[in-house]
Amino acid sequence: MSDNTQGLRIQSGSQAWRAGIELLSSMRFAISLLTVICIASVIGTVLKQHEPAVNYVNQFGPFWAELFGAIQLNAVYSAWWFLLILAFLVISTSLCIARNTPKILVDLKAYKENIREQSLKAFHHKAQADLPESAEAEARRIGTLLAGGGWKVRLQQRDTAAGPGTGWMVAAKAGAANKIGYIAAHSAIVLVCVGGLLDGDLIVRAQMLLGGKTPYQGGGLIADVKPEHRLSERNPTFRGNLLVAEGTQSSTAILNQSDGVLLQDLPFAIELKKFIVEHYSTGMPKLFASEIVIHDKATGEKTPARVEVNHPASYKGIEIYQSSFDDGGSHLKLRAAPMVAGAKPFDVEGVVGGSTQLTNKGGGPGSDMLTLEFTALRTINVENFGGAGPGSSGADVRKVDLRESVESRLGAANKTVTKKELRNVGPSVTYKLRDAAGQAREFHNYMLPVDTGDGVPVFLLGVRESPADPFRYLRVPADDNGSMDGFLRMKALLADPDAREQAVRRYVSQAMDSSRPELAEQLRLSASRALALFAGQGMVDGKPTGGLQAVSDFMEANVPEAERARAGEVLVRILNGTLFEVAQLARKQAGQAPLQHDDRTQGFMTQAVLSLSDAQIYPAPLAFELKDFTQVQASVFQVARAPGKNIVYLGCALLILGIFAMLYVRERRVWVWVAPQEGRTHATMALSTNRKTLDSDQEFAQLAHKLIGASPREGTA
């Protein structure tokens, strides 16, 4: 706002006080604060704000996560230092305005008509000419022309310096809005900062500091939370989140703090009548809205409203925004599928957000030590199957981690690929299994079998150790009834030594001629050993002892390298044959017809062998299938009382006007000194402007010709 960066200079007080006031009111200090705010805003934009602490640990590591928490980079806009900088910026800019506004107002009123003739000749834009009429007549003519062109004009009569006689000074000015723009722009900064302070955490922090309010760190029912953790309905400013499930009401918002939450009581309750969501073909939501009823606590009045994204509802000065949506406690029916020997299938029910203890009725070692936590239900999963086809999976059959082969089909719905074939693969359930030590794994299982392009529909059973890891999928083939039962029966028989021996005898009887018993016995021994190796002994020292990996390890240890290729082909052929008999035996025990020797059976058996091998290292004794569900949706609202909003709007309007005035309005002043000289009337003209542009040159040329009929001359300013 001034030509220098010096601040307000006062004459009283100590040297430190005078230096502090000068620094605080200086432009250099305000610009420094603005720079820090810009840097902090960039950090707040790049770094996700108000995420759970574990997310920062997973992404950046413990050291940086702790550092971010210490300096509150995870909550920049509510950090004490950010609010302090805003407060100092308000004070600094206000002092700067107070220091410069009087000078600007005085300058706006002044025409500077006392300028001397010699000073005019030193201007960059100047011109001289002789005029035919008297000095007074020419001065009034020039003043009239300028006034007609939108200039503000003042005439001054005074004695000439060169000799006797009276001359006239015509002083005119235009573009005064340029200086008003300075005041408006700097006032806008103050208003925006004040509005930000009012709508930020400043008042809430003041209540915590002076009013005895403390964050709540426990759990339980909202109604049981004590008053010291609650903010009054008359709280002048707040911004919190409110989750309301369909068919329920809520009147208490949650204000997240770094060390807990504060509860904000509202003067009304919000009832969610219906939640509406529409999706794009990619599965991404394109619209979500809430049909609500607002219940006034004081009057009992019921006000229906609809809340959409970017279309909030307002009631008693509180804005209700559609923030997101969540599960409101959907009811789930799951079936436990045994993944280890000795486990028994059973049914379990629960609601999303709840949990249940698994007892020995489920069977299986250690099953009574597990807690099943129902975490999420997704009814729509639109995935891209572009480029999928038989043989295109490229799966490494040695891995349970099928990320490379499945990720292209089960990636994000907005994944950029050359070819898109979007398909809704149906509902999925996410749950956690937590052991007695509190350690948990997360599982993500699809309800329906999915054809990933290999021609065999498979059930996808996902697992990951932490939220930072991607899901790894075990693919279980669906039988001819579209269920996992065929695979599970095979797995159960594979763990039974008697059933394995029976399957081996069936295989040998069909593969060998009964007239050669010595070869049949050798084949039986080989088949029994291969099937036993494949069946394994579970986990030993954290490593699987079965599956194709166990067979491979056995060959490396017992077969010379030169003979492994040929022996491997024979062993795999024997293993596939015996496993086929295991499948036939399982179907016979279930009262089903035998498998036919066709391409469909071959595809099922190929995937079954891979899945039986990979299931050896499935990290849970049970996998839970989603059998049925009743969806209950919830809407997440952001409720805000923001008195600073209108102040910010006013500041934005002033900022636009101020910047427009400073950039597009040029302040100009024109002086014309008209005085008698050697029997004639002589005029000296000059123009000053705050910016030297081509427009200024053209304007002065036109004015000089119009006012005094002269061509301008340029000199050194």
Side-chain angles (χ1 to χ4, degrees):
M1 293 181 62
S2 62
D3 295 335
N4 58 71
T5 61
Q6 298 298 318
L8 183 64
R9 296 183 180 275
I10 59 176
Q11 304 301 322
S12 60
S14 64
Q15 177 63 29
W17 170 256
R18 295 197 302 271
I21 294 297
E22 189 280 328
L23 175 64
L24 191 59
S25 62
S26 66
M27 185 61 66
R28 64 183 187 278
F29 185 68
I31 292 175
S32 300
L33 293 178
L34 276 174
T35 302
V36 176
I37 288 176
C38 290
I39 295 173
S41 299
V42 171
I43 295 174
T45 302
V46 174
L47 184 66
K48 290 185 177 180
Q49 301 289 285
H50 299 289
E51 290 283 304
V54 66
N55 289 10
Y56 297 106
V57 174
N58 292 334
Q59 186 172 0
F60 301 103
F63 172 78
W64 291 106
E66 184 176 356
L67 179 62
F68 291 166
I71 59 179
Q72 296 184 327
L73 289 184
N74 58 336
V76 169
Y77 304 112
S78 59
W80 65 267
W81 53 267
F82 187 83
L83 299 177
L84 185 63
I85 291 174
L86 282 180
F88 270 111
L89 182 59
V90 169
I91 297 172
S92 177
T93 310
S94 299
L95 289 174
C96 188
I97 294 173
R99 175 170 60 90
N100 289 280
T101 299
K103 301 177 184 178
I104 293 176
L105 295 179
V106 169
D107 191 62
L108 288 175
K109 296 178 180 179
Y111 286 82
K112 299 182 180 180
E113 66 273 17
N114 294 319
I115 192 170
R116 297 180 301 167
E117 179 185 3
Q118 294 300 321
S119 298
L120 297 181
K121 295 178 180 180
F123 276 72
H124 179 76
H125 295 100
K126 58 184 180 293
Q128 298 185 48
D130 292 331
L131 303 176
E133 302 293 334
S134 65
E136 180 178 358
E138 293 292 348
R140 295 190 183 281
R141 179 186 64 82
I142 293 171
T144 301
L145 290 174
L146 287 171
W151 295 71
K152 293 184 177 180
V153 182
R154 176 173 291 181
L155 299 180
Q156 181 193 57
Q157 184 182 14
R158 67 181 189 223
D159 295 335
T160 62
T166 301
W168 289 79
M169 176 63 74
V170 182
K173 61 180 180 179
N178 178 269
K179 289 189 178 294
I180 299 297
Y182 281 97
I183 299 177
H186 286 71
S187 300
I189 294 176
V190 174
L191 291 175
V192 170
C193 291
V194 169
L197 289 171
L198 288 176
D199 290 349
D201 283 354
L202 189 62
I203 294 180
V204 173
R205 289 179 180 274
Q207 294 183 61
M208 295 171 61
L209 182 64
L210 305 175
K213 301 297 182 180
T214 57
Y216 181 65
Q217 300 177 343
L221 299 176
I222 290 180
D224 298 333
V225 178
K226 296 181 179 179
E228 58 264 28
H229 309 304
R230 293 178 175 271
L231 300 177
S232 169
E233 294 180 0
R234 298 185 298 275
N235 186 15
T237 175
F238 60 84
R239 187 177 299 271
N241 294 320
L242 186 71
L243 187 144
V244 187
E246 286 181 329
T248 65
Q249 298 182 21
S250 181
S251 62
T252 305
I254 304 297
L255 278 63
N256 291 317
Q257 303 295 314
S258 58
D259 52 350
V261 297
L262 290 171
L263 303 186
Q264 174 64 60
D265 292 322
L266 302 176
F268 53 83
I270 298 178
E271 178 186 3
L272 179 61
K273 303 296 291 185
K274 183 180 181 181
F275 180 77
I276 304 166
V277 59
E278 298 177 4
H279 296 84
Y280 291 106
S281 60
T282 61
M284 299 293 289
K286 67 177 179 180
L287 168 71
F288 45 96
S290 300
E291 301 286 352
I292 64 172
V293 176
I294 302 174
H295 299 262
D296 192 293
K297 291 182 178 179
T299 64
E301 181 183 1
K302 299 179 181 180
T303 305
R306 179 183 173 95
V307 183
E308 297 181 20
V309 177
N310 298 326
H311 296 282
S314 180
Y315 191 80
K316 288 189 173 181
I318 298 177
E319 301 290 333
I320 305 171
Y321 299 90
Q322 182 70 62
S323 177
S324 62
F325 58 92
D326 206 341
D327 195 286
S330 298
H331 186 79
L332 305 176
K333 293 183 179 180
L334 306 180
R335 177 175 178 267
M339 300 300 288
V340 295
K344 303 292 184 182
F346 61 93
D347 295 328
V348 62
E349 296 186 13
V351 295
V352 173
S355 63
T356 185
Q357 295 290 328
L358 301 181
T359 62
N360 273 329
K361 68 179 181 179
S367 61
D368 56 334
M369 305 296 291
L370 296 176
T371 301
L372 175 62
E373 301 174 1
F374 310 95
T375 57
L377 169 71
R378 290 187 61 182
T379 58
I380 296 178
N381 289 277
V382 177
E383 308 296 348
N384 182 20
F385 286 77
S392 64
S393 68
D396 183 350
V397 299
R398 301 284 71 74
K399 297 180 180 179
V400 170
D401 184 359
L402 301 179
R403 178 183 177 188
E404 293 181 0
S405 60
V406 180
E407 188 176 49
S408 62
R409 306 178 182 90
L410 299 178
N414 62 348
K415 192 172 182 178
T416 302
V417 293
T418 303
K419 181 180 178 181
K420 289 185 177 181
E421 183 187 338
L422 302 177
R423 190 194 314 165
N424 179 16
V425 296
S428 64
V429 64
T430 305
Y431 61 89
K432 290 183 179 180
L433 284 176
R434 192 176 302 275
D435 59 23
Q439 299 297 316
R441 290 186 178 92
E442 189 174 16
F443 298 84
H444 181 227
N445 298 345
Y446 288 82
M447 181 179 185
L448 303 175
V450 179
D451 186 353
T452 61
D454 297 322
V456 180
V458 294
F459 289 91
L460 294 165
L461 310 180
V463 59
R464 63 182 178 185
E465 300 294 328
S466 73
D469 299 331
F471 279 107
R472 299 170 296 143
Y473 287 92
L474 173 66
R475 302 194 296 180
V476 175
D479 58 19
D480 46 9
N481 293 323
S483 72
M484 293 173 52
D485 293 341
F487 171 82
L488 294 176
R489 286 193 293 267
M490 285 184 63
K491 195 173 187 308
L493 289 181
L494 190 62
D496 183 359
D498 294 336
R500 291 201 303 269
E501 189 61 30
Q502 185 177 353
V504 168
R505 289 197 299 269
R506 288 167 58 98
Y507 169 71
V508 172
S509 64
Q510 296 181 24
M512 294 299 299
D513 188 349
S514 58
S515 63
R516 305 184 65 180
E518 68 283 359
L519 294 180
E521 180 62 18
Q522 292 179 5
L523 180 59
R524 187 189 69 80
L525 292 175
S526 298
S528 297
R529 174 171 291 184
L531 199 58
L533 284 171
F534 186 84
Q537 302 173 5
M539 301 289 286
V540 176
D541 297 330
K543 296 182 179 181
T545 60
L548 294 172
Q549 186 62 48
V551 176
S552 176
D553 293 341
F554 172 80
M555 291 184 61
E556 290 182 2
N558 297 276
V559 179
E561 184 175 357
E563 301 178 10
R564 286 177 191 169
R566 178 174 175 275
E569 292 179 3
V570 173
L571 195 58
V572 168
R573 191 180 302 115
I574 293 174
L575 181 61
N576 287 336
T578 53
L579 287 173
F580 179 78
E581 294 303 326
V582 170
Q584 296 287 45
L585 185 60
R587 293 179 66 85
K588 181 179 179 181
Q589 292 181 356
Q592 296 178 340
L595 290 172
Q596 301 297 318
H597 293 274
D598 53 21
D599 292 340
R600 182 176 180 180
T601 298
Q602 182 178 358
F604 172 82
M605 288 304 304
T606 299
Q607 186 59 54
V609 172
L610 300 179
S611 300
L612 288 170
S613 175
D614 294 337
Q616 297 279 343
I617 53 175
Y618 190 77
L622 301 165
F624 289 88
E625 297 180 79
L626 178 62
K627 305 303 290 186
D628 196 8
F629 62 88
T630 302
Q631 186 181 24
V632 178
Q633 300 200 90
S635 189
V636 180
F637 301 103
Q638 185 181 83
V639 290
R641 178 180 281 153
K645 179 180 64 175
N646 294 330
I647 299 177
V648 172
Y649 288 161
L650 177 60
C652 292
L654 286 179
L655 186 62
I656 294 172
L657 292 175
I659 292 177
F660 180 85
M662 288 189 292
L663 292 181
Y664 297 102
V665 178
R666 291 179 297 111
E667 183 188 17
R668 295 102 67 208
R669 290 181 182 269
V670 168
W671 296 272
V672 182
W673 171 247
V674 184
Q677 183 179 0
E678 298 178 357
R680 65 185 187 278
T681 300
H682 186 74
T684 303
M685 177 181 175
L687 177 141
S688 71
T689 179
N690 61 333
R691 289 195 303 274
K692 294 181 180 180
T693 63
L694 293 176
D695 292 338
S696 300
D697 297 339
Q698 295 174 359
E699 183 180 28
F700 181 67
Q702 294 172 357
L703 284 174
H705 179 73
K706 178 180 179 181
L707 299 179
I708 63 176
S711 298
R713 292 184 299 165
E714 296 185 355
T716 304

